[in-house]
């Protein structure tokens, strides 16, 4: 064979190899308008309370431990990127100065109320407290500390208080100890004459008795939340130790016409109504809300970030249906690696695959079956390594960046990327630690120009990877 022919043959082989590699890679910076999301709406959080108000905002609060913070957003899936405000910072000392747990925001009689549990640094002294704000907007006005809400004749350990409103009558429901010893957590109900005052003795309506309720010690019934449909009250609660993968939801039912202060009016289901499944562990302590257009019912709950994670949790949401007896049917937790439909009425989102971006200095695309398109952007291990994804939007404005991320840094530490938009100053992009290929959701608000924009992610601290990037308009 002549030198020319050998050269031509070698050149052809190289070209075919390059073509084969190009064909095997995902399309560069391609996007698709989708009506789905991957189900983590908050990558780090517990005890989520979501309330959709008549002003069109969703309000979220959760356990922070040291204050009460509210988030708000026009979309359920955009809450993590929404506005936030600390509305209550506890006093330096006193009965409600420490360990603030499971706040709930309620709109009752034209005023806002927040119910939360707190203590003085000694868990035995946990009690329920209440705040009030008479402003139409919970982000403005003044939050007034109204003190403890309790039954004076049974002033024992109490957490997870919520309010049931039936035909204008108010009831307070919470989880508490039967006495002064931490042997079990029961559910109690008491009448209220005002939103911040219990007007009668507490009544026990549930105690952990079934085997599925009694995993862990002490035994636990907690996190009561209520749904009312066609005269049926469904009281959904969390059972077994919250630090175990056996944490799950149970349910009591009662008629709206029954004497709700009589234990015999409440019927407990003998089996759980929502529990671990599809690779999601320890789902519990939930709240209920509606889709943006009001046509769908959604459960918002926390779950362990990984098997055996205990109190290391994230927040998830999914649509639920109803049984013929007017009780909720939650099904099983949505599989983490399968996208589910966004709440009805939320805007479609453009989805970009991070592995289709332009890599620099050792960052590369890595194949993995858990990723949305079978590959992820990895090895973003230091500030010189990066991936740049080009995105396109029809109009200039602020957008929610909803990114599927993972972090397997040894020791459980958070990781950060530096995120730069169109070559501008970088901001930190936070990724919780749940392990490699165990995906969460990191969010940010970014301003984009009409047309093409470049999102550049560089390594900053510890180690994290990117899967897909969703973009949808931020609605103030």
């Amino acid at each position: 064979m002549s030198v020319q022919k050998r050269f031509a043959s070698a050149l052809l082989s190289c070209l075919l190899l390059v073509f084969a590699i190009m064909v095997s890679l995902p399309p560069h910076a391609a996007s698709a308008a989708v009506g789905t999301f991957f189900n983590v709406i908050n990558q780090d959080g517990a005890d989520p309370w979501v309330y959709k108000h008549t002003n069109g905002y969703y309000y979220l609060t959760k356990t922070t431990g040291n204050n009460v913070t509210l988030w708000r957003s026009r979309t359920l899936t955009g809450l993590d990127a929404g506005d936030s405000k600390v509305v209550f910072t506890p006093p330096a000392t006193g009965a409600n100065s420490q360990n603030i747990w499971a706040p709930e925001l309620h709109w009752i009689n034209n005023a806002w109320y927040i119910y939360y549990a707190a203590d003085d640094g000694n868990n035995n002294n946990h009690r329920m407290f209440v705040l009030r704000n008479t402003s139409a907007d919970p982000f403005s006005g003044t939050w007034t500390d109204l003190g403890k809400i309790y039954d004076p004749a049974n002033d024992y350990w109490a957490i997870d208080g919520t309010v049931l409103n039936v035909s204008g009558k108010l009831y307070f429901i919470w989880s508490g100890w039967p006495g002064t010893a931490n042997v079990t957590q029961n559910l109690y109900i008491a009448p209220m004459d005002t939103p911040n005052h219990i007007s009668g003795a507490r009544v026990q309506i549930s105690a952990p008795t079934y085997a599925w309720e009694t995993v862990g010690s002490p035994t636990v019934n907690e996190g009561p939340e209520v749904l009312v449909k066609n005269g049926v009250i469904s009281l959904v609660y969390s059972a077994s130790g919250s630090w175990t993968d056996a944490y799950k939801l149970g349910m009591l039912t009662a008629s709206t016409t029954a004497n709700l202060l009589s234990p015999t009016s409440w019927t407990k289901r003998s089996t759980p109504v929502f529990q671990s499944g599809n690779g999601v562990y320890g789902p519990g302590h939930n709240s209920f809300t509606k889709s943006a257009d009001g046509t769908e019912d959604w459960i918002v709950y926390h779950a362990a970030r990984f098997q055996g994670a205990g109190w290391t949790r994230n927040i998830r949401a999914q649509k639920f249906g109803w049984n013929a007896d007017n009780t909720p049917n939650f099904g099983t937790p949505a599989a983490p690696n399968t996208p589910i439909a966004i709440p009805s009425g939320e805007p479609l989102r453009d989805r970009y695959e991070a592995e289709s971006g332009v890599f620099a200095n050792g960052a590369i695309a890595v194949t993995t079956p858990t990723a949305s398109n079978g590959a992820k952007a990895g090895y973003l291990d230091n500030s010189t390594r990066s991936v740049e994804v080009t995105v396109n939007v029809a109009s200039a404005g602020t957008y929610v960046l909803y990114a599927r991320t993972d972090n397997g840094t040894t020791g459980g530490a958070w990781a950060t990327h530096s995120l730069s938009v169109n070559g501008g100053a970088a901001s930190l992009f936070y990724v919780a630690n749940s392990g490699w290929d165990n995906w969460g959701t990191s969010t940010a608000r970014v301003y984009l120009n009409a047309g093409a924009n470049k999102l550049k992610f560089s390594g900053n601290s510890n180690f994290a990877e990117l899967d897909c990037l969703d973009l949808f308009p931020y609605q103030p």
Side-chain angles (χ1 to χ4, degrees), residues 347-371:
L348 296 179
R349 51 194 59 203
D350 288 330
R351 180 164 298 156
Y352 296 83
E353 295 295 337
E355 69 273 10
S356 298
V358 176
F359 291 92
N361 300 321
I364 59 173
V366 181
T367 59
T368 179
T370 64

Side-chain angles (χ1 to χ4, degrees), residues 54-67:
T54 54
N55 62 7
Y57 277 115
Y58 289 93
Y59 293 96
L60 163 71
T61 186
K62 61 180 182 176
T63 294
T64 65
N66 59 1
N67 62 32

Side-chain angles (χ1 to χ4, degrees), residues 85-443:
K85 183 176 182 179
V86 176
V87 297
F88 174 70
T89 299
T93 60
N96 62 337
S97 60
Q98 298 186 52
N99 299 315
I100 297 175
W101 296 350
E104 291 192 4
L105 174 72
H106 292 256
W107 175 252
I108 306 172
N109 298 341
N110 295 314
W112 295 101
Y113 293 86
I114 291 177
Y115 302 90
Y116 67 96
D119 65 28
D120 58 359
N122 180 350
N123 177 56
N124 289 349
N125 295 330
H126 248 108
R127 299 294 189 273
M128 289 300 306
F129 298 84
V130 60
L131 309 169
R132 181 175 62 203
N133 185 347
T134 57
S135 170
D137 178 4
F139 271 54
S140 63
T142 300
W143 283 96
T144 302
D145 184 354
L146 301 180
K148 187 165 66 173
I149 181 169
Y150 68 112
D151 171 7
N154 297 279
D155 186 13
Y156 302 128
W157 189 91
I159 64 168
D160 296 351
T162 194
V163 175
L164 169 63
N165 188 336
V166 177
S167 301
K169 293 182 179 180
L170 300 178
Y171 302 87
F172 199 60
I173 307 174
W174 72 97
S175 174
W177 293 352
T180 59
N182 184 12
V183 293
T184 190
Q185 288 177 229
N186 302 325
L187 298 183
Y188 297 94
I189 188 171
M192 307 172 78
D193 54 4
T194 69
N196 60 289
H197 184 255
I198 288 174
S199 58
R202 71 176 187 173
V203 175
Q204 179 182 307
I205 55 174
S206 182
T209 54
Y210 292 111
W212 54 268
E213 295 182 284
T214 56
V215 178
S217 179
T219 56
V220 172
N221 280 181
E222 64 184 12
E225 304 297 350
V226 291
L227 286 165
V228 181
K229 185 178 177 68
N230 294 335
V232 176
I233 302 168
S234 297
L235 193 161
V236 179
Y237 64 95
S238 302
S240 285
S242 59
W243 57 94
T244 73
D245 290 343
Y247 202 52
K248 57 180 66 70
L249 298 182
M251 187 168 68
L252 305 170
T253 58
S255 169
T256 55
T257 60
N259 176 7
L260 301 181
L261 299 176
S262 170
T264 60
S265 295
W266 296 90
T267 302
K268 180 185 283 192
R269 294 294 174 95
S270 61
T271 56
V273 295
F274 195 61
Q275 59 186 319
S276 299
N278 290 328
V280 176
Y281 299 93
H285 203 126
N286 64 281
S287 57
F288 305 110
T289 192
K290 289 280 190 179
S291 60
D293 63 7
T295 65
E296 298 172 344
D297 294 294
W298 283 70
I299 181 173
V300 183
Y301 63 95
H302 73 223
R305 290 218 300 258
F306 47 88
Q307 187 174 12
W311 287 325
T312 302
R313 295 169 288 200
N314 56 27
I315 297 173
R316 300 169 181 265
Q318 64 189 70
K319 185 173 68 171
F320 68 90
W322 294 88
N323 299 311
D325 63 356
N326 294 307
T327 60
N329 185 338
F330 301 121
T332 56
N337 297 321
T338 302
I340 62 176
I342 59 176
S344 181
E346 293 200 6
L348 296 179
R349 51 194 59 203
D350 288 330
R351 180 164 298 156
Y352 296 83
E353 295 295 337
E355 69 273 10
S356 298
V358 176
F359 291 92
N361 300 321
I364 59 173
V366 181
T367 59
T368 179
T370 64
S372 65
N373 198 38
K376 59 187 176 182
Y379 292 89
L380 298 162
D381 296 344
N382 57 56
S383 60
T384 67
R385 297 187 176 191
S386 65
V387 60
E388 187 175 78
V389 180
T390 300
V391 302
N392 288 273
V393 296
S395 58
T398 301
Y399 288 78
V400 174
L401 171 62
Y402 191 94
R404 201 167 186 238
T405 55
D406 72 354
N407 167 8
T409 304
T410 300
W414 282 70
T416 58
H417 286 155
S418 294
L419 169 61
S420 175
V421 180
N422 294 324
S427 59
L428 291 180
F429 196 60
Y430 292 88
V431 183
N433 194 316
S434 300
W436 299 122
D437 292 331
N438 190 17
W439 300 96
T441 302
S442 301
T443 66

